[in-house]
């Protein structure tokens, strides 16, 4: 067997690894999930081949199926690798979030407000967001979405990244509740057993630029309100941070 023959035999594993990395990259580019057909079109590989690679990645926990089985999301092993990388280049707000998570014992997430919607800046690795697609698609289904609406009550959400447009009556009710509480909350709108509350992060001009959100089982949501003061303290610390 010639050296050329040996080199030719060595190619399939490299191609397989390269395709697996391409599949992971495509899924990473679609935080709401990508179907196998969409991945196959993006990487230019036969659908049957992509299905085999995707199933292998699911088996090894590099990918997970969406709860509604319509596509695939990054799995635990990829998120663990990302956490290792992030640990070497942690942003300025990491210390504030670490302390808040330790003090409350609850899941804490950090968001930035954009003109088109909200961006997830720091998701608690111990307790990931229940339904990212719903949170990023419908502002009425999360406490952080409620805060975004309160800060932009006159916006026409059809021109944003939100898939669902908030109705005026819903925005009015959310704003009234926020005026009373000074924070927003939702129960069982993203997951039947989870709820969350959120406080805004404002800049020097008192404009909302983001939010700190605390997620907890619905049964503990009212009790979790005791952490609001801690959330506000963290939000104040983050007010001068570039989100």
């Amino acid at each position: 067997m010639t050296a050329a023959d040996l080199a030719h035999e060595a190619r399939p594993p490299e191609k397989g690894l390269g395709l697996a990395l391409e599949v992971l990259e495509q899924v990473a580019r679609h935080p709401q999930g990508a179907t196998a057909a969409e991945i196959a079109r993006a990487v230019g590989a036969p659908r049957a081949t992509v299905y085999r690679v995707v199933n292998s990645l699911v088996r090894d926990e590099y990918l997970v199926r969406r709860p509604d089985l319509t596509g695939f999301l990054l799995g635990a092993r990829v998120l663990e690798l990302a956490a290792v990388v992030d640990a070497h280049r942690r942003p300025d707000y990491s210390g504030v979030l670490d302390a808040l998570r330790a003090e409350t014992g609850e899941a804490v997430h950090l968001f930035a407000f954009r003109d088109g919607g909200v961006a997830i800046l720091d998701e608690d690795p111990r307790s990931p967001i229940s339904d990212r697609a719903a949170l990023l698609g419908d502002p009425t289904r999360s406490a952080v979405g409620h805060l975004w609406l309160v800060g932009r009550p006159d916006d026409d959400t059809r021109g944003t990244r939100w898939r669902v447009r908030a109705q005026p009556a819903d925005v009015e009710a959310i704003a009234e509740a926020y005026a009373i509480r000074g924070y927003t909350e939702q129960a069982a709108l993203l997951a039947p057993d989870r709820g969350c509350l959120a406080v805004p992060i404002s800049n020097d001009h008192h404009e909302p630029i983001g939010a700190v959100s605390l997620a907890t089982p619905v049964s503990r949501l009212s009790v979790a309100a005791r952490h609001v003061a801690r959330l506000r303290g963290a939000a104040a610390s983050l007010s001068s941070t570039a989100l």
Side-chain angles (χ1 to χ4, degrees):
M1 182 177 289
T2 66
D5 292 332
L6 291 172
H8 179 72
E9 286 193 353
R11 290 300 294 166
E14 294 176 15
K15 289 182 178 179
L17 175 60
L19 180 57
L21 293 174
E22 287 186 63
V23 168
L24 289 173
E25 180 180 351
Q26 289 303 318
V27 176
R29 292 178 182 276
H30 296 81
Q32 297 179 12
T35 67
E38 291 170 337
I39 297 169
R41 286 195 298 270
V43 301
R47 187 176 300 185
T49 301
V50 170
Y51 274 120
R52 287 196 297 271
V53 172
V54 166
N55 286 332
S56 177
L57 292 171
V58 169
R59 184 176 61 250
D60 293 336
E61 299 182 349
Y62 288 101
L63 294 179
V64 295
R65 297 183 186 276
R66 277 178 47 89
D68 58 8
L69 304 180
T70 60
F72 300 90
L73 302 166
L74 294 180
R77 296 187 70 176
V78 174
L79 298 178
E80 288 170 2
L81 289 172
V84 172
V85 174
D86 287 343
H88 296 284
R89 51 175 187 179
R90 306 194 74 204
D92 295 339
Y93 51 69
S94 296
V96 175
L97 297 179
D98 287 345
L100 189 57
R101 288 162 181 161
E103 291 170 358
T104 64
E106 303 285 1
V108 173
H109 311 298
L110 177 65
F111 300 86
F113 288 172
R114 307 291 187 233
D115 289 339
V118 300
I120 303 170
L121 293 188
D122 196 304
E123 183 176 1
D124 196 322
R126 305 167 306 167
S127 183
I129 293 167
S130 303
D131 189 336
R132 293 171 64 97
L135 185 148
L136 296 173
D138 184 348
T140 67
R141 292 183 60 182
S142 68
V144 64
H146 289 187
L147 281 180
W148 188 92
L149 289 170
V150 169
R152 294 165 170 78
D154 299 324
D155 274 8
D156 184 347
T157 53
R158 288 176 298 185
T160 70
R161 291 196 303 267
W162 301 112
R163 296 194 317 274
V164 177
R165 183 188 181 192
Q167 297 302 308
D170 292 333
V171 177
E172 182 179 357
I174 290 168
E176 289 178 357
Y178 175 73
I180 294 171
R181 296 194 193 103
Y183 62 91
T184 57
E185 72 173 38
Q186 67 82 15
L189 295 180
L190 292 178
D193 60 340
R194 301 284 290 178
C196 61
L197 51 86
V199 301
I201 301 171
S202 300
N203 60 20
D204 293 338
H205 303 290
H206 306 290
E207 299 166 335
I209 58 173
V212 181
S213 175
L214 182 150
T216 189
V218 169
S219 60
R220 294 211 307 265
L221 187 58
S222 61
V223 177
R226 73 188 190 279
H227 298 308
V228 168
R230 288 189 175 95
L231 291 175
R232 287 178 175 147
S237 299
L238 297 169
S239 61
S240 59
T241 302
L243 298 183

